């Protein structure tokens, strides 16, 4: 409540120096967009003391919008090697949300065609097909263009990092997860027509590599939105290693290489390495998302993402939305071509330029990915809060057609 009213407490952690000569600047973001700002608030707290600062936002907050306050402490004058305007501290604070009733889906007619091989759905600006023999999405057309180069599938694998490989037995123990999402056996598939505006498809898969069940429910709406509910059930009689990631791999046409997201950025970040990446709206492309570590490994990830869009030069594509959050990564390289064990590193000694670039974009839309660790570099796992135990999980996300607004 204090921050909502504009009350901020600044604590001076210096032991001998006051905050004289420093000022506070701020920006208020609503759903990632700047709606108010200020600067030049003088600071004066003595060493080891605190100071209250009051900020007048000058706006009425909108119910349902997500607000963040970005703060920077800057120098007022040149001071030796420190130039005027140098940022010596910064932070991002979340304001309490104002609840709002959830939006209702628009009533747009959905055409459903139940064929022998697949369920076909057609609505505004989209066509979607779900294969009845695999239980996977086989086609996704937005604005008349096919987006997919392969069926989206469950994905549990990431290319091992330099911190992963020294963990005792990591390569052999973690190996079942690499192909778990490739070897899915369809157990059942069922179409339910809920109204003339929406339908749902319930799918169950069995994963022999890890002896687990994987349930997916697709809620398909006439406006092209598909809400996906995923239920992963660990086998109670089996013991498996920690999961590297839990999500879905989409293989998109390479034309959809422009990227815009609302989440942490602009640089790569992971669940245990993300406080330097403030939440905001960022734009990039698939090439620039890639981080060319000397040894190819997991890279370029973005966490705490509200939504991410991939689009072509015409500004049309697809948006993925978290319920409430997802993580995403996108690259032109298949993780199957990366090192998987320490022995492979010694045998192949790959470098980034040796990876074969594919004519498609590999997009991971994740519920969660294992932390990258770094407590030490000779065998320590990520901290316990940042691993994914072999347990049951349930999560949701959605996707829909995207058209960039070029009016602004």
């Amino acid at each position: 409540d204090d921050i909502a009213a504009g009350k901020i407490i600044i604590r001076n952690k210096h032991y001998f120096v006051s905050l004289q000569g420093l000022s506070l600047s701020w920006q208020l973001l609503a759903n990632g967009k700047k709606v108010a700002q200020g600067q030049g608030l003088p600071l004066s707290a003595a060493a080891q003391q605190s100071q209250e600062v009051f900020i007048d936002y000058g706006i009425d907050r909108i119910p349902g919008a997500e607000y963040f306050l970005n703060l920077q402490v800057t120098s007022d004058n040149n001071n030796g090697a420190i130039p005027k305007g140098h940022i010596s501290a910064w932070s991002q604070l979340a304001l309490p949300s104002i609840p709002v009733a959830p939006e209702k889906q628009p009533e747009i007619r959905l055409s459903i065609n139940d064929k022998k091989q697949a369920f076909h759905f057609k609505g505004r600006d989209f066509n979607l097909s779900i294969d009845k023999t695999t239980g996977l999405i086989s086609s996704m057309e937005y604005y008349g263009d096919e987006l997919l180069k392969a069926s989206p599938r469950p994905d549990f694998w990431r290319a091992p990092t330099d911190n992963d490989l020294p963990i005792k037995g990591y390569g052999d123990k973690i190996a079942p997860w690499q192909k778990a999402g490739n070897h899915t056996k369809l157990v059942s598939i069922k179409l339910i027509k809920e109204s003339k505006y929406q339908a749902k498809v319930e799918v169950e898969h069995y994963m022999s590599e890890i002896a687990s069940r994987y349930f997916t429910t697709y809620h398909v709406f006439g406006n092209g939105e598909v809400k996906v509910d995923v239920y992963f059930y660990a086998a109670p009689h089996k013991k498996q290693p920690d999961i590297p990631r839990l999500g879905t791999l989409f293989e998109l046409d390479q034309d959809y290489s422009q990227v815009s997201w609302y989440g942490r950025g602009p640089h790569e970040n992971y669940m245990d390495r993300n406080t330097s990446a403030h939440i905001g709206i960022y734009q990039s492309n698939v090439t620039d998302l890639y981080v060319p570590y000397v040894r190819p490994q997991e890279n370029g990830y973005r966490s705490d993402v509200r939504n991410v869009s991939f689009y072509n030069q015409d500004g049309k594509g697809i948006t993925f939305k978290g319920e409430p959050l997802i993580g995403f990564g996108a690259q032109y390289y298949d993780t199957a071509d990366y090192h998987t064990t320490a022995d492979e590193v010694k045998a192949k000694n790959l470098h980034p330029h040796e990876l074969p670039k594919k004519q498609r974009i590999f997009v991971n839309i994740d519920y969660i990915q294992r932390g990258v660790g770094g407590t030490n570099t000779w065998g320590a796992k990520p901290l316990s809060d940042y691993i994914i135990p072999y347990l049951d999980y349930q999560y949701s996300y959605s996707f829909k057609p995207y058209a960039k607004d070029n009016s602004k």
Side-chain angles (χ1 to χ4, degrees):
D1 291 341
D2 286 344
I3 189 175
K7 180 182 176 181
I8 308 295
I9 297 177
I10 308 294
R11 176 169 172 77
N12 181 6
K13 293 187 176 181
H14 290 299
Y15 283 98
F16 306 107
V17 181
S18 76
L19 298 185
Q20 291 282 354
L22 299 175
S23 297
L24 184 71
S25 301
W26 60 273
Q27 303 84 36
L28 184 66
L29 307 182
N31 293 334
K33 296 181 179 180
K34 185 168 61 179
V35 294
Q37 63 181 335
Q39 60 183 0
L41 299 178
L43 301 179
S44 59
Q48 293 292 297
Q49 299 299 310
S50 298
Q51 173 185 352
E52 287 187 357
V53 175
F54 289 90
I55 295 174
D56 181 9
Y57 299 130
I59 63 167
D60 293 324
R61 289 191 293 138
I62 302 171
E66 184 180 37
Y67 287 87
F68 285 95
L69 179 63
N70 289 350
L71 300 167
Q72 304 91 30
V73 175
T74 59
S75 54
D76 295 334
N77 301 292
N78 295 327
N79 184 9
I82 300 174
K84 180 180 179 180
H86 175 76
I87 297 175
S88 57
W90 71 330
S91 186
Q92 184 176 64
L93 306 175
L95 275 66
S97 60
I98 303 175
V100 65
E103 292 184 7
K104 293 183 178 180
Q105 283 287 343
E107 294 184 340
I108 299 172
R109 186 175 291 275
L110 177 68
S111 172
I112 305 170
N113 200 345
D114 184 355
K115 293 292 188 179
K116 182 179 180 181
Q117 293 296 322
F119 299 124
H120 300 285
F121 304 93
K122 183 177 182 179
R124 188 177 68 190
D125 300 323
F126 89 104
N127 289 276
L128 181 80
S129 299
I130 299 178
D131 192 295
K132 294 165 73 171
T133 59
T134 65
L136 303 175
I137 296 173
S138 56
S139 177
M140 192 160 61
E141 293 183 7
Y142 288 169
Y143 306 105
D145 295 323
E146 177 64 55
L147 275 75
L148 298 180
K149 303 299 286 185
S151 292
R153 59 171 177 80
D155 195 17
F156 306 93
W157 182 253
R158 77 171 187 196
T161 68
D162 286 339
N163 289 341
D164 289 333
L165 292 176
I167 297 173
K168 185 177 180 180
Y170 183 87
D172 294 334
K173 289 181 180 179
I174 216 78
W177 294 113
Q178 184 174 11
K179 301 186 184 301
N182 294 331
H183 300 161
T184 58
K185 179 182 178 182
L186 181 64
V187 176
S188 65
I189 184 169
K190 181 181 180 182
L191 169 66
I192 301 172
K193 301 177 182 179
E194 299 192 306
S195 74
K196 58 184 177 181
Y197 310 116
Q198 68 182 85
K200 71 178 178 180
V201 179
E202 297 176 340
V203 185
E204 179 184 354
H205 286 101
Y206 179 72
M207 299 179 173
S208 58
E209 296 279 340
I210 51 175
S212 300
R213 296 190 300 163
Y214 192 93
F215 293 82
T216 310
T217 301
Y218 299 99
H219 303 267
V220 186
F221 300 92
N223 67 341
E225 181 171 359
V226 179
K227 182 176 180 290
V228 185
D229 298 324
V230 176
Y231 303 84
F232 175 80
Y233 291 109
H237 62 291
K238 294 284 186 178
K239 184 178 180 181
Q240 298 288 358
D242 298 332
I243 308 172
R245 74 166 1 118
L246 181 57
T248 302
L249 176 65
F250 290 77
E251 297 182 32
L252 301 184
D253 188 282
Q254 61 183 342
D255 287 345
Y256 299 91
S257 61
Q258 303 301 306
V259 189
S260 175
W261 73 96
Y262 173 36
R264 292 195 179 274
H267 51 272
E268 71 166 3
N269 55 88
Y270 293 80
M271 64 188 303
D272 58 348
R273 292 288 185 279
N274 66 12
T275 54
S276 69
H278 283 182
I279 293 167
I281 295 176
Y282 304 99
Q283 292 186 333
S284 187
N285 58 66
V286 174
T287 297
D288 289 344
L289 291 178
Y290 186 80
V291 180
Y293 290 105
V294 173
R295 183 188 68 79
Q297 57 193 280
E298 165 60 35
N299 73 89
Y301 200 67
R302 304 310 193 266
S303 64
D304 289 349
V305 174
R306 281 70 174 158
N307 58 72
V308 57
S309 300
F310 294 85
Y311 54 94
N312 59 22
Q313 294 299 324
D314 296 327
K316 294 180 178 179
I318 183 172
T319 291
F320 298 95
K321 183 176 182 293
E323 300 287 342
L325 302 174
I326 52 175
F328 85 91
Q331 59 178 325
Y332 292 109
Y333 307 103
D334 189 343
T335 55
D337 294 325
Y338 284 64
H339 296 135
T340 58
T341 65
D343 288 340
E344 281 193 6
V345 172
K346 295 177 182 178
K348 296 182 179 180
N349 194 28
L350 281 176
H351 293 85
H353 69 278
E354 297 173 294
L355 286 174
K357 184 177 180 180
K358 308 295 186 180
Q359 301 301 307
R360 62 186 62 193
I361 302 169
F362 297 89
V363 177
N364 284 100
I365 301 297
D366 294 338
Y367 170 58
I368 191 172
Q369 186 189 151
R370 174 188 177 95
V372 294
T375 304
N376 63 44
T377 58
W378 52 87
K381 290 184 177 181
L383 300 179
S384 59
D385 287 345
Y386 308 115
I387 61 173
I388 313 173
Y390 180 59
L391 300 170
D392 296 345
Y393 294 93
Q394 187 279 323
Y395 68 97
S396 300
Y397 67 97
S398 64
F399 57 85
K400 63 181 180 181
Y402 171 83
K404 187 176 182 180
D405 183 0
N406 293 317
S407 63
K408 297 178 181 179

